């Protein structure tokens, strides 16, 4: 059984949700083995008197939609290990960037460079296990070196700050070039300039040339 991931507005709602989930799962013979929350639900766990069910503590990190969740700080971050001393071919380059699962688009601005680079490798007609030309190899070395900087980037998990008032404003940006196009969305609250990232998507431009206005659409 895979993990269940949900978000509610209060601890009371979280306790009620966990109780209801337990009741539904027990009817099918399933049992929750552990929970991870940014606020303590320990009272709810003890109240059910299930010693085998534990609340994960400390700085335990779980992956959520490709990003790492630090539940203690309620932040989403990356845990990337840049490759070292590998023979750069089209196959090895793809093997390094393919595992970077990022459906929300936290790293869209960075990963679009990898998509553009892979498209260029295809245009050069290189074989999968053929060594990359010197100039292309240097570009990928710099890319992998910068990959480690992603470990210093964090995002607020919650889209609603604690001091939020009134209704939020949805801000969406999109742009295109001859190489790629993309869009990103933010939510802006009426606080002291508090803006939260929602999602982003990027795509490489098709090989068949299109006008910039068409790509922007």
């Amino acid at each position: 059984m895979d993990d269940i991931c949900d978000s509610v507005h209060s601890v009371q709602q979280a306790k009620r949700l966990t109780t209801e989930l337990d009741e539904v799962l027990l009817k099918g013979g399933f049992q929750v083995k552990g929970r991870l929350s940014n606020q303590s639900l320990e009272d709810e766990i003890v109240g059910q008197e299930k010693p085998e069910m534990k609340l994960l503590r400390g700085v335990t990190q779980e992956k959520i939609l490709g990003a790492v969740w630090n539940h203690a700080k309620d932040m989403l971050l990356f845990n990337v290990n840049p490759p070292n001393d590998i023979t750069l071919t089209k196959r090895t380059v793809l093997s390094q960037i393919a595992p970077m699962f990022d459906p929300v688009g936290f790293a869209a601005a960075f990963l679009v460079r990898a998509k553009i680079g892979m498209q260029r490798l295809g245009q050069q007609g290189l074989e999968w296990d053929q060594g990359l030309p010197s100039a292309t190899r240097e570009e990928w070395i710099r890319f992998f070196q910068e990959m480690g900087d992603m470990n210093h980037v964090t995002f607020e998990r919650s889209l609603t700050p604690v001091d939020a008032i009134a209704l939020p404003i949805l801000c969406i940006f999109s742009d295109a070039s001859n190489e790629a196009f993309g869009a990103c969305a933010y939510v802006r609250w009426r606080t002291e300039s508090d803006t939260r990232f929602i999602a982003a998507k990027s795509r490489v431009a098709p090989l068949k040339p299109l006008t910039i206005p068409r790509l922007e659409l």
Side-chain angles (χ1 to χ4, degrees):
M1 183 65 182
D2 208 344
D3 297 336
I4 299 173
C5 179
D6 204 347
S7 178
V8 292
H9 293 288
S10 67
V11 173
Q12 290 73 24
Q13 287 178 302
K15 290 181 178 181
R16 183 169 63 253
L17 178 61
T18 55
T19 300
E20 293 173 351
L21 284 172
D22 287 335
E23 293 174 352
V24 172
L25 292 174
L26 284 174
K27 290 180 180 178
F30 299 98
Q31 191 170 7
V32 178
K33 294 184 178 179
R35 291 194 177 95
L36 194 63
S37 173
N38 63 317
Q39 295 191 37
S40 177
L41 302 178
E42 192 166 9
D43 292 338
E44 184 270 337
I45 300 296
V46 174
Q48 294 188 42
E49 297 181 353
K50 294 179 180 177
E52 68 277 6
M53 189 187 304
K54 61 181 179 178
L55 181 68
L56 304 178
R57 297 181 177 85
V59 293
T60 305
Q61 294 180 341
E62 286 286 330
K63 275 203 168 185
I64 299 178
L65 295 176
V68 176
W69 180 40
N70 184 326
H71 76 97
K73 297 182 179 180
D74 203 14
M75 302 287 288
L76 297 172
L77 56 142
F78 296 99
N79 187 2
V80 180
N81 296 314
N84 292 315
D85 299 327
I86 61 171
T87 302
L88 290 180
T89 65
K90 189 163 67 171
R91 188 185 304 278
T92 58
V93 167
L94 181 60
S95 69
Q96 294 300 320
I97 61 178
M100 299 182 68
F101 181 60
D102 183 38
V104 180
F106 293 114
F110 180 77
L111 293 181
V112 70
R113 292 170 51 197
K115 297 176 184 179
I116 294 171
M118 285 302 302
Q119 187 182 64
R120 288 175 178 171
L121 292 181
Q123 290 176 308
Q124 292 177 26
L126 298 172
E127 299 293 335
W128 280 103
D129 296 311
Q130 179 182 350
L132 302 184
S134 178
T136 305
R137 183 176 180 276
E138 292 300 320
E139 290 180 4
W140 282 107
I141 289 176
R142 288 194 298 271
F143 176 84
F144 289 133
Q145 289 173 343
E146 293 177 30
M147 185 185 292
D149 295 335
M150 294 175 62
N151 294 328
H152 305 294
V153 179
T154 59
F155 295 87
E156 297 276 358
R157 180 203 59 83
S158 175
L159 295 181
T160 308
V162 294
D163 57 344
I165 59 174
L167 295 175
I169 300 173
L170 179 63
C171 306
I172 300 177
F173 305 89
S174 63
D175 202 0
S177 71
N178 290 324
E179 294 183 322
F181 56 96
C184 61
Y186 294 84
V187 59
R188 183 179 182 277
W189 293 90
R190 294 183 183 178
T191 62
E192 294 184 1
S193 66
D194 199 326
T195 304
R196 302 290 173 92
F197 171 85
I198 298 177
K201 294 292 181 182
S202 63
R203 297 285 187 275
V204 292
L207 295 178
K208 181 181 178 180
L210 296 175
T211 63
I212 297 298
R214 179 61 181 173
L215 288 169
E216 289 176 341
L217 288 174

